[in-house]
Every structure is written in structure tokens, then in C-alpha cells.
């Protein structure tokens, strides 16, 4: 059920962001530019995640929320400086500017929220970290998500390798043994 819910959320988010990323701006106000850059940022992170297979990490935060601003301005820059964002695609979504996308990402939950989506053989998996966090907590969250992602990829690779070996064994079993000579009757 959780996998199905995650898949539904990801599909809805993808549909929403795809439409927003391609929609023309309705006005030229700074707020409109901010909304467009937020959608583009998420759309770019999503494209990178799909293209590279990296998990996507999204910070859902507002400008008026003190813990959100602490995460955005102090915690995440340190985490980024230590290289934790190199293996993920990252985006920030502001619920005041993109409420539908934020709702899909958080499930209507509190902010700040750090959400990680990673693709597994069974579909998209969603993990979340809610509330203001320390650098260590954010780093652990990303490490755990990446470790799960690596583990899932290794399991998938082993399963594919076992499937290939099994197919090769079946193909070998179906071939006649070259040591057994076929005796054909001679006419004549």
C-alpha cells in the first residue's frame, strides 16, 4: 500500500511539475519569477534524477518559517559543502508559491520537511525528515537513503545476474551433448 501511495504521489508531482515547467508566466512580477524558478528548480532536479538514477531530495519550506530558514540558510549549505548533495538531485519548494506541489510532497504535513524519493524495483520510495534538523541528522538522512538505494541496486543487479545464469543453464540443458554421437541408419 505504501509503495502504491508513493508511486501515486510521484506520478502526480511529475504531472504537476511538467505542466508548470512548460507553462508561460502570467505576469512579470518578482513573485511570478520566484514561482517559475521554484518550479524550474524542482523540474530540473527531477530531470536530473530520472536521467542519472540519483535519488531526489526536496526541502519544502517557506520564507516566514524560522526553522525553514535555518535549514535553508545554515544547515543545508554546510551539508552541501561536505559533499552530501553530489549523489542526489536537490530542489527547494515553497508551499506559499507552489501549494499543490508542496501538498503532494509532504502529504499536507508540517514544514520544514526534507523529502527523498528514490526509485526501487518496486516503484518510488519516499522517505521524509520533518521539522528543523541538525547537520548530522540531515547527513544521516541522506546517507541512509543512499545506502538503501545502493543496496536496492545491488540486489537488483544480483537478481538480473541470477536470471541470466538461470537462462544460460536452461539453454545449455536444451542443447544436445556433443559427446553423444547420433547414429543414423544407413540406407542402401
Amino acid at each position: 500500500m505504501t509503495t502504491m501511495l508513493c508511486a501515486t504521489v510521484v506520478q502526480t508531482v511529475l504531472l504537476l511539475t511538467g505542466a508548470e515547467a512548460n507553462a508561460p508566466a502570467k505576469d512579470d512580477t518578482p513573485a511570478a519569477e520566484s514561482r517559475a524558478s521554484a518550479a524550474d528548480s524542482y523540474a530540473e532536479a527531477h530531470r536530473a534524477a530520472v536521467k542519472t538514477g540519483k535519488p531526489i531530495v526536496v526541502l519544502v519550506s517557506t520564507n516566514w518559517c524560522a526553522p525553514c530558514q535555518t535549514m535553508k540558510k545554515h544547515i543545508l549549505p554546510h551539508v552541501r559543502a561536505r559533499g552530501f548533495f553530489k549523489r542526489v538531485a536537490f530542489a527547494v519548494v515553497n508551499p506559499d508559491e507552489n501549494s499543490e506541489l508542496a501538498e503532494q510532497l509532504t502529504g499536507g504535513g508540517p514544514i520544514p520537511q526534507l523529502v527523498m524519493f528514490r526509485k526501487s524495483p518496486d516503484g518510488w520510495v519516499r522517505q521524509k525528515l520533518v521539522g528543523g534538523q541538525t547537520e548530522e541528522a540531515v547527513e544521516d538522512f541522506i546517507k541512509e537513503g543512499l545506502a538503501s538505494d545502493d543496496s536496492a541496486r545491488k540486489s537488483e543487479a544480483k537478481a538480473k545476474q541470477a536470471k541470466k545464469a538461470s537462462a544460460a543453464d536452461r539453454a545449455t540443458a536444451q542443447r544436445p551433448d556433443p559427446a553423444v554421437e547420433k547414429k543414423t541408419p544407413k540406407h542402401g
Side-chain angles (χ1 to χ4, degrees):
M1 179 71 174
T2 303
T3 303
M4 183 64 98
L5 178 61
C6 287
T8 303
V9 167
V10 169
Q11 289 298 329
T12 304
V13 168
L14 299 178
L15 290 171
L16 287 172
T17 58
E20 291 173 10
N22 296 326
K26 294 179 180 161
D27 59 30
D28 293 330
T29 65
E33 289 177 26
S34 177
R35 281 193 302 275
S37 67
D40 289 342
S41 176
Y42 181 83
E44 288 173 22
H46 176 263
R47 276 191 290 275
V50 169
K51 183 177 179 181
T52 65
K54 292 179 178 181
I56 184 170
V57 175
V58 182
L59 174 64
V60 182
S61 71
T62 63
N63 295 333
W64 51 263
C65 164
C68 298
Q69 291 306 303
T70 300
M71 290 281 291
K72 190 190 288 187
K73 294 180 180 177
H74 301 288
I75 303 298
L76 295 179
H78 291 284
V79 172
R80 182 185 300 270
R82 284 193 276 242
F84 282 88
F85 287 174
K86 289 181 180 176
R87 292 186 53 206
V88 300
F90 180 74
V92 177
V93 172
N94 185 331
D96 292 336
E97 298 170 354
N98 199 335
S99 61
E100 289 180 39
L101 176 57
E103 175 86 19
Q104 291 296 319
L105 292 169
T106 65
I111 56 170
Q113 221 177 103
L114 202 57
V115 184
M116 177 184 283
F117 288 99
R118 59 183 180 77
K119 187 132 174 133
S120 78
D122 299 324
W124 287 93
V125 176
R126 176 180 165 227
Q127 296 171 260
K128 65 181 179 175
L129 191 61
V130 179
Q133 302 292 326
T134 64
E135 292 172 30
E136 294 78 21
V138 173
E139 290 171 0
D140 289 345
F141 173 73
I142 293 172
K143 282 183 206 175
E144 289 170 13
L146 290 172
S148 295
D149 193 51
D150 290 343
S151 176
R153 287 176 196 248
K154 287 177 185 175
S155 294
E156 187 177 4
K158 283 182 183 179
K160 285 181 181 179
Q161 189 176 17
K163 190 174 179 179
K164 278 185 180 179
S166 176
D169 289 346
R170 282 193 307 273
T172 302
Q174 293 173 357
R175 284 190 224 138
D177 187 353
V180 177
E181 196 175 305
K182 273 192 170 181
K183 294 184 180 182
T184 56
K186 294 184 182 182
H187 296 288

